[in-house]
Amino acid sequence: MDRLAYGLATLIGIAATGLGGYGMLGGAGTLRLAWLVPLGGLELSLDPLGGFFLALIGFTAVPASIYAMGYAGGEGRDRFAYLVFVVSMGLVPLASNAMTFAIAWELMSLASYFLVLHDRESKESIRAAWIYAVMTHAGLACLLAGMLLLGAGAGSLRFDDWRAAAPALAGTARSAAFVLLALGFAGKAGVIPLHVWLPLAHPAAPSHVSALMSGVMIKLGVYGLLRASLDWLGVGPAWWGAALLVAGAASSVIGVLYALVEHDLKRLLAFHSIENIGIILLGVGSATLYRSAGLEALALLGLAAALYHTVNHAAFKALLFLGAGAVVHATGTRNMEEMGGLIKRMPWTAACFLVGSAAIAALPPLNGFVSEWLTFLVLFQNTRLDAVGLNLVFTLGIASLALTGGLAMACFVKAFGITFLALPRSDAAAHAHEAPPPMRFAMVTLAASCVALGLGATLVIPALGAVAASVLRTAPPATVGDWLTLRVSGDFASLSTLAIAVALVASLLVPVVALRLVGASRRTRGYETWGCGRIVQTARMEYTATAFANPFKRVFDFFYRPTKHLDIDFHPESRFFVERIEYENPTRSIFDDWLYRPALDLLRVVARAAGTVQSGSANLYLAYILAALLLMLVLA
Amino acid sequence: MFRQLRTALRTGIVTEPVARGGEIERIGTRLAWEIARLFGRSLAIRQVDAGSCNGCELEIGGLTGPHYDLERFGVHFVASPRHADCLLVTGPVTRNMAEALRRTWRATPDPKFVVAVGDCGRDGGLFRGSYAVVGGVADVVPVDAVIPGCPPSPAALLAGLLEAIGRPR
Amino acid sequence: MISDVVVAAIQVLVVGAGAPLLVGALRTLRARLVGRRGPSPWQPYADLRKLLAKEAVVSTTTSWVFRATPYLLVATMLVIALIVPISVARPPLAFAGDIILLVYLFMLGTFFLALAGLDAGSAFGGMGASRAVAIAALAEPTIIVAVFALALRAGTIDLGRVVERFGREPWLAANPAHLLAFAAFFIVMLAETGRLPVDNPATHLELTMIHEAMVLEYSGRYLALVEWAAAMKLFLFMALLANLFFPWGLTGPAEPVPMLLGLLALAGKLAVLASAVAVLETTVAKLRLFRVPELLAGSFALAFLSLMAVILVR
């Protein structure tokens, strides 16, 4: 029964990919059902940007659904919610009026709420789902406010009408609409500081759902931001792009900083999603800034870089979540401190996770590197803008992206190394079993797609350039190099991942052949790890995830505010002997301390003050009615 | 920074030539010419303290200084036995260090050889017969050569090591 | 015009064969500066030859990652050798990448070496891995900002074209933005290649090791490959520093005589750089580990100043 549901989801995914690809290539179509819902009716239309995101949804839904077939357990309610989730996500990029968009958005949020809540017993799940519901509906409120404002200004709720009416709107109305829409979409995308739901909700959901949420759902927030900043509102002032750029820079650095100190594997991956959204926003912000300055070619490049990173992130984040799911499924725990040695027991999962880690760490010649390189190039060319203030903003973006790249590499050394390498740190890890065939198949296809997206960059970028050109309504870029090399902005830079890959493979043979030629000794002997001659060598001697993150905790202690908990159990007969020591070094999020807790406290204070209005006295209520009547008579 | 540079440059090189006639006893599980062929130009030594009084360690420590300069012969000390060719063992092997010494020996890749330093390394020296001591190093791991002395001077150590690897003086 | 294949072979040979000599010369220079005779500059070749004759003792807790890493490190360095201008301004693979690619290729090596350090399951390896990736991560913003400053002045980040444009610029060595970027890059070179004051390559105390701690488990032919790759990393970083900032002697066409002149010029520049590093190493003490981020922040400030000098003067 569950295979049927997930098989159906796979078919929907394949159909979505096909339809999306058709849209990207320029095919268009419209579907109108005016009678289905009020306020404009159901209206769906296909355009290149929508087609791109639809293809993205399909492309990620297929492996996730195949993976889910190997996932034993789950109730009918979860399967139904999953189907609704996939279908509603597919409807969002197709929506072409505010009502359809809002309905599809809300369906998506509700379906994912139920999926996050799938473990109804655990307090953690309930809290995660609650915070997720609150944040997503706060975002929806902002979205609706922005859309209604824009609709009031343009006189209609259809997106086409907004595009036409945008240049005629007053500057303040457009900026207000932009701010509201941006807040709503940024909350869904998980941009700092609206990210608080992401690290709670993504780990709580089952892994195939986390893969979809991280890989695709937050990208729909990016889709919304793209529409708001580049499409519906026309060309805006420079501060829109600057705000997006700064938000992107902050998200990328802060996301990876919090990921570094996590030892819950799925929460680590969730924080990394925040980081990658930051990188995408760097591209979107640059595109918006360049467009407002009139540099269309650079805006095109920025948008293409953002779209490329969107698809790359979907590929490797889905792969990493599916791998993490296989690990959690096999060991029964999400805590990295209890894993280890899994590479010998789960070789396929380990290899796929390694490819995903290398891709997200932006190591050449994989896909993560190409999109980060492209983003760097977009940021580097900011000197074509003459304002020193904007140059500084871009420099901030460059420094953040560079720091993020290095920290992401460090984080994934930790994630892969502690989870898969060396000795198992617990019995559960020592008895782990390899993932069943459907899971393996899904992971291998995603790993292959990461490699393909990296090596085939010369094919991908022109396609994305065409999509970007249709959004910005300019001519598509001139040929960016040939099948082997990417050439960007004339002779500013060039890259050939295919040549690098071939060179790496060839160079791998050089030491092998050289050793053979010089007659190096081929003898190998296995022995224990060098432990200074220690008699007892156990997994307790290994480095832990907490220890690995220690240098970062010290350097960035402003963000972490680490506290130390040391618990020592002394021997009952003498304080000179110790029976047990427990050391904990938890970190606190500055956003919890400085933003959310004060905001919630303020909300409580205001609510309590407002509560005095509801005193329960019937006389006072009658007085309210009288006052309201008098007011209406005066106003009328 | 510059004062130190000036002092160094003014002092110049103070390395002394090697003294002749170092005493070395070959117990030999490995032929001398084979060691010379493999390690004549490059030798990595891992020093193991198997319960010594540290007298020999102090003398060995002098070998890396400017006067005796072991490195000019291509010999250097390493931290991990995996990197080592020669184990330089000091001290009578105490019972607590016997197993550690065995594990160190097994962790060293072949081909390797062992040099025991001092009278303690030869047969337990001052501590021979003690309840805490196993005996000389040869009672725990196969030993190829012994440099006797209590402690042997750095010059004797240097000459002995060089003879072990067959370097011309 | 010599064919690309021959130029590629020459660059690989120069880097592969010349790297141990650079390391050996550095060691000899350090020894002479403290009054010792020191090893001969050709010593690393003897070391490598001896290592190839030894067996490899591999820990039973490790996996294929441990055994594959030495080969991958060497492969990475060889590919970088085909992109860095060593004998000509535009080596054969120059079309395939630029400085950003180089930075990330070096990171590829660090990534796998750190994984190999964790693979052995010892505390030393984990500690070395943790410190090495922390330093690599903190050094990266400096490199990228310094590269950005260079790209601004040259109008491109393609290495060959940057070298050509700087080669034609008069008074290059007197340009303050250029010198600031060079200083920042120099500090990053010390950090990434594990020289004092960031990491002591000759230390025996595991608690003070960063790079050495990750290779404690390697032996035999694996150790030879790792040591060779580390030597090549030092050579390539110094060659990048020398030829990117002071590209005198490097020309465009791949003719025999200009290439020989380029190689001789590189040898001279490397000699100067190596002497500077040796003097620094013998006079400066190693920094405490948690002071290294302060040093890297200082180098970032230098790179940022260089960038400001370029932007404001433009």
Side-chain angles (χ1 to χ4, degrees):
Chain A
M1 190 60 220
D2 56 336
R3 292 200 164 215
L4 193 64
Y6 293 121
L8 188 61
T10 313
L11 288 173
I12 294 178
I14 296 176
T17 317
L19 188 60
Y22 171 65
M24 275 172 72
L25 291 173
T30 321
L31 176 66
R32 264 195 117 143
L33 290 170
W35 44 267
L36 196 59
V37 287
L39 278 182
L42 185 80
E43 198 174 325
L44 302 171
S45 74
L46 187 62
D47 73 340
L49 187 66
F52 171 79
F53 278 92
L54 187 60
L56 187 71
I57 293 169
F59 160 72
T60 318
V62 170
S65 309
I66 297 179
Y67 179 93
M69 287 198 233
Y71 201 82
E75 311 170 1
R77 180 169 20 190
D78 289 334
R79 291 192 283 275
F80 179 66
Y82 183 77
L83 274 171
V84 171
F85 184 47
V86 173
V87 170
S88 56
M89 277 203 295
L91 285 178
V92 169
L94 290 175
S96 63
N97 74 6
M99 192 64 194
T100 320
F101 192 92
I103 291 178
W105 193 263
E106 182 61 12
L107 266 179
M108 180 177 79
S109 307
L110 280 178
S112 52
Y113 169 80
F114 281 109
L115 288 168
V116 167
L117 199 53
H118 93 286
D119 177 10
R120 246 154 251 109
E121 306 292 308
S122 127
K123 267 186 101 150
E124 195 194 314
S125 278
I126 296 175
R127 180 166 175 264
W130 169 243
I131 293 183
Y132 175 52
V134 168
M135 293 294 295
T136 205
H137 285 99
L140 182 66
C142 289
L143 278 183
L144 285 176
M147 287 187 177
L148 289 174
L149 187 64
L150 202 49
S156 135
L157 283 177
R158 295 180 62 241
F159 296 168
D160 285 330
D161 296 337
W162 292 354
R163 270 179 218 123
L169 280 179
T172 38
R174 273 187 18 200
S175 293
F178 174 75
V179 168
L180 286 167
L181 289 171
L183 277 177
F185 287 125
K188 177 59 84 176
V191 175
I192 302 271
L194 304 167
H195 65 284
V196 72
W197 59 275
L198 224 159
L200 294 170
H202 285 209
S207 302
H208 51 280
V209 176
S210 306
L212 276 183
M213 285 174 78
S214 242
V216 178
M217 192 182 75
I218 54 182
K219 303 303 172 13
L220 290 177
V222 172
Y223 167 75
L225 276 171
L226 282 174
R227 288 281 189 207
S229 55
L230 294 171
D231 196 20
W232 296 334
L233 297 167
V235 182
W239 66 263
W240 289 7
L244 285 175
L245 210 113
V246 170
S251 303
S252 59
V253 174
I254 295 177
V256 74
L257 279 181
Y258 282 116
L260 268 171
V261 294
E262 277 295 332
H263 43 243
D264 177 331
L265 188 56
K266 290 175 76 172
R267 190 162 297 155
L268 184 145
L269 293 175
F271 272 114
H272 266 284
S273 295
I274 299 178
E275 172 219 337
N276 282 287
I277 290 289
I279 298 178
I280 298 175
L281 276 190
L282 282 173
V284 174
S286 325
T288 314
L289 257 176
Y290 286 135
R291 193 169 188 226
S292 63
L295 296 165
E296 295 287 340
L298 285 178
L300 202 65
L301 193 63
L303 187 54
L307 290 175
Y308 201 174
H309 202 76
T310 307
V311 73
N312 286 342
H313 179 237
F316 52 64
K317 189 43 69 70
L319 170 61
L320 287 170
F321 263 111
L322 295 185
V327 166
V328 170
H329 181 65
T331 59
T333 172
R334 282 186 350 225
N335 187 0
M336 273 197 289
E337 305 275 31
E338 291 172 21
M339 299 183 191
L342 294 175
I343 192 171
K344 298 196 179 113
R345 308 214 44 116
M346 308 171 69
W348 287 87
T349 311
C352 294
F353 200 91
L354 184 61
V355 172
S357 307
I360 199 172
L363 298 178
L366 296 176
N367 55 358
F369 171 69
V370 186
S371 49
E372 269 197 40
W373 176 81
L374 211 54
T375 314
F376 268 122
L377 287 181
V378 171
L379 294 172
F380 270 20
Q381 293 183 68
N382 73 86
T383 47
R384 306 258 288 273
L385 291 168
D386 251 333
V388 178
L390 287 178
N391 293 135
L392 280 174
V393 169
F394 271 99
T395 310
L396 173 72
I398 293 172
S400 315
L401 187 58
L403 187 60
T404 299
L407 290 176
M409 189 259 297
C411 191
F412 274 92
V413 167
K414 169 183 149 181
F416 182 76
I418 302 280
T419 310
F420 287 97
L421 298 178
L423 289 171
R425 293 180 182 79
S426 70
D427 276 334
H431 295 113
H433 55 88
E434 179 60 275
M439 292 188 181
R440 259 185 275 167
F441 177 74
M443 289 193 283
V444 168
T445 30
L446 280 172
S449 67
C450 284
V451 176
L453 281 169
L455 295 181
T458 46
L459 297 171
V460 175
I461 292 198
L464 294 176
V467 174
S470 83
V471 174
L472 296 174
R473 255 161 301 221
T474 59
T479 42
V480 266
D482 51 31
W483 65 274
L484 179 64
T485 320
L486 270 175
R487 254 168 259 276
V488 173
S489 303
D491 66 350
F492 190 76
S494 67
L495 179 73
S496 173
T497 40
L498 205 55
I500 297 290
V502 168
L504 273 174
V505 169
S507 308
L508 269 173
L509 295 173
V510 168
V512 175
V513 168
L515 284 181
R516 204 58 66 94
L517 279 178
V518 301
S521 160
R522 304 230 301 274
R523 281 179 302 153
T524 312
R525 175 161 62 93
Y527 191 54
E528 62 181 16
T529 306
W530 171 239
C532 298
R534 202 170 15 227
I535 312 284
V536 175
Q537 291 264 76
T538 64
R540 299 265 324 274
M541 318 291 175
E542 292 174 345
Y543 226 51
T544 59
T546 313
F548 195 92
N550 193 36
F552 302 101
K553 269 192 215 172
R554 293 253 213 148
V555 173
F556 295 106
D557 62 354
F558 168 77
F559 289 103
Y560 296 133
R561 296 162 190 271
T563 52
K564 252 192 268 211
H565 293 154
L566 190 56
D567 204 1
I568 309 183
D569 283 342
F570 292 104
H571 194 275
E573 293 187 17
S574 162
R575 271 186 72 89
F576 289 113
F577 294 100
V578 166
E579 282 197 327
R580 196 175 137 270
I581 298 181
E582 191 172 314
Y583 171 79
E584 227 188 312
N585 196 358
T587 55
R588 294 183 353 242
S589 160
I590 54 168
F591 295 101
D592 277 346
D593 291 341
W594 289 359
L595 185 62
Y596 287 101
R597 214 154 282 151
L600 286 174
D601 288 340
L602 183 67
L603 193 64
R604 237 176 255 131
V605 163
V606 167
R608 201 163 294 142
T612 55
V613 172
Q614 285 192 308
S615 60
S617 149
N619 297 338
L620 198 57
Y621 290 167
L622 282 172
Y624 287 159
I625 296 176
L626 194 61
L629 271 174
L630 281 171
L631 198 66
M632 277 199 290
L633 282 172
V634 165
L635 286 176
Chain B
M1 176 174 162
F2 290 111
R3 198 180 333 145
Q4 188 186 340
L5 257 181
R6 231 179 309 138
T7 319
L9 292 172
R10 220 182 296 141
T11 318
I13 301 195
V14 299
T15 312
E16 297 170 356
V18 183
R20 295 183 165 268
E23 207 186 301
I24 181 167
E25 295 167 18
R26 281 189 189 283
I27 305 180
T29 52
R30 185 158 242 130
L31 293 168
W33 67 265
E34 201 186 319
I35 298 179
R37 179 180 64 93
L38 287 166
F39 306 123
R41 304 209 61 90
S42 160
L43 180 71
I45 302 182
R46 195 343 169 130
Q47 190 268 327
V48 183
D49 177 350
S52 95
C53 69
N54 287 346
C56 292
E57 272 81 5
L58 284 169
E59 305 300 323
I60 293 173
L63 284 176
T64 52
H67 292 276
Y68 297 102
D69 195 18
L70 197 54
E71 283 208 356
R72 64 187 145 137
F73 300 109
V75 184
H76 64 284
F77 285 98
V78 289
S80 167
R82 293 263 204 275
H83 300 181
D85 311 312
C86 162
L87 288 182
L88 198 64
V89 189
T90 55
V93 185
T94 53
R95 292 198 192 279
N96 287 338
M97 280 300 291
E99 183 56 31
L101 181 57
R102 259 180 230 120
R103 287 184 183 223
T104 310
W105 185 81
R106 265 184 242 133
T108 315
D110 280 322
K112 61 193 174 210
F113 64 103
V114 179
V115 176
V117 172
D119 292 340
C120 292
R122 181 174 53 188
D123 52 14
L126 217 52
F127 308 103
R128 178 176 22 181
S130 156
Y131 63 91
V133 156
V134 173
V137 179
D139 294 336
V140 181
V141 291
V143 172
D144 295 273
V146 174
I147 303 178
C150 189
S153 69
L157 278 166
L158 188 56
L161 276 171
L162 290 177
E163 198 190 313
I165 59 173
R167 282 295 288 269
R169 312 251 181 86
Chain C
M1 196 70 164
I2 307 186
S3 91
D4 272 345
V5 180
V6 177
V7 175
I10 291 178
Q11 295 223 164
V12 165
L13 228 69
V14 166
V15 174
L21 179 60
L22 180 66
V23 173
L26 207 55
R27 254 185 238 156
T28 312
L29 214 53
R30 274 178 72 171
R32 294 290 162 96
L33 281 171
V34 293
R36 290 191 291 134
R37 181 152 291 133
S40 129
W42 309 97
Q43 182 61 36
Y45 294 104
D47 291 337
L48 287 174
R49 193 153 146 250
K50 173 209 63 177
L51 279 173
L52 291 175
K54 304 224 17 169
E55 73 174 352
V57 179
V58 174
S59 163
T60 46
T61 52
T62 59
S63 62
W64 61 266
V65 173
F66 183 82
R67 290 190 298 273
T69 296
Y71 296 98
L72 201 66
L73 278 175
V74 170
T76 321
M77 295 304 150
L78 291 177
V79 170
I80 296 178
L82 290 173
I83 304 179
V84 173
I86 304 240
S87 55
V88 287
R90 303 211 79 223
L93 270 189
F95 74 93
D98 46 43
I99 310 182
I100 301 182
L101 177 70
L102 285 185
V103 170
Y104 280 90
L105 274 175
F106 279 121
M107 272 215 318
L108 179 65
T110 311
F111 181 78
F112 275 97
L113 192 57
L115 283 181
L118 279 171
D119 204 7
S122 72
F124 303 137
M127 193 167 64
S130 159
R131 295 170 170 187
V133 295
I135 291 178
L138 294 173
E140 209 191 318
T142 308
I143 309 181
I144 301 281
V145 172
V147 162
F148 178 38
L150 290 179
L152 268 187
R153 283 171 43 223
T156 169
I157 54 172
D158 182 77
L159 274 170
R161 280 185 259 270
V162 171
V163 164
E164 279 165 10
R165 257 164 247 206
F166 282 170
R168 279 179 259 137
E169 192 181 309
W171 295 114
L172 184 68
N175 187 334
H178 200 71
L179 292 174
L180 283 170
F182 176 77
F185 220 95
F186 187 80
I187 297 178
V188 165
M189 185 265 292
L190 292 176
E192 287 265 354
T193 53
R195 315 299 307 183
L196 284 158
V198 175
D199 179 19
N200 185 356
T203 185
H204 298 161
L205 302 171
E206 286 89 352
L207 285 178
T208 62
M209 292 177 178
I210 301 180
H211 175 264
E212 300 301 315
M214 295 189 283
V215 304
L216 280 178
E217 284 300 315
Y218 279 116
S219 51
R221 61 189 183 279
Y222 295 129
L223 183 62
L225 288 176
V226 171
E227 295 282 323
W228 187 35
M232 284 198 282
K233 185 171 184 180
L234 180 66
F235 188 99
L236 286 166
F237 250 105
M238 283 197 172
L240 196 60
L241 206 54
N243 277 346
L244 196 59
F245 287 91
F246 304 108
W248 309 311
L250 264 188
T251 56
E255 304 285 343
V257 174
M259 277 177 71
L260 191 62
L261 280 177
L263 285 173
L264 284 173
L266 179 67
K269 291 179 232 170
L270 284 179
V272 171
L273 272 177
S275 314
V277 173
V279 166
L280 195 66
E281 289 204 319
T282 46
T283 50
V284 168
K286 186 173 112 67
L287 280 176
R288 254 183 59 209
L289 179 69
F290 292 116
R291 300 283 303 273
V292 173
E294 292 173 22
L295 177 70
L296 292 173
S299 74
F300 179 76
L302 286 174
F304 190 73
L305 278 174
S306 161
L307 182 66
M308 284 298 106
V310 177
I311 290 186
L312 295 173
V313 164
R314 194 165 44 93

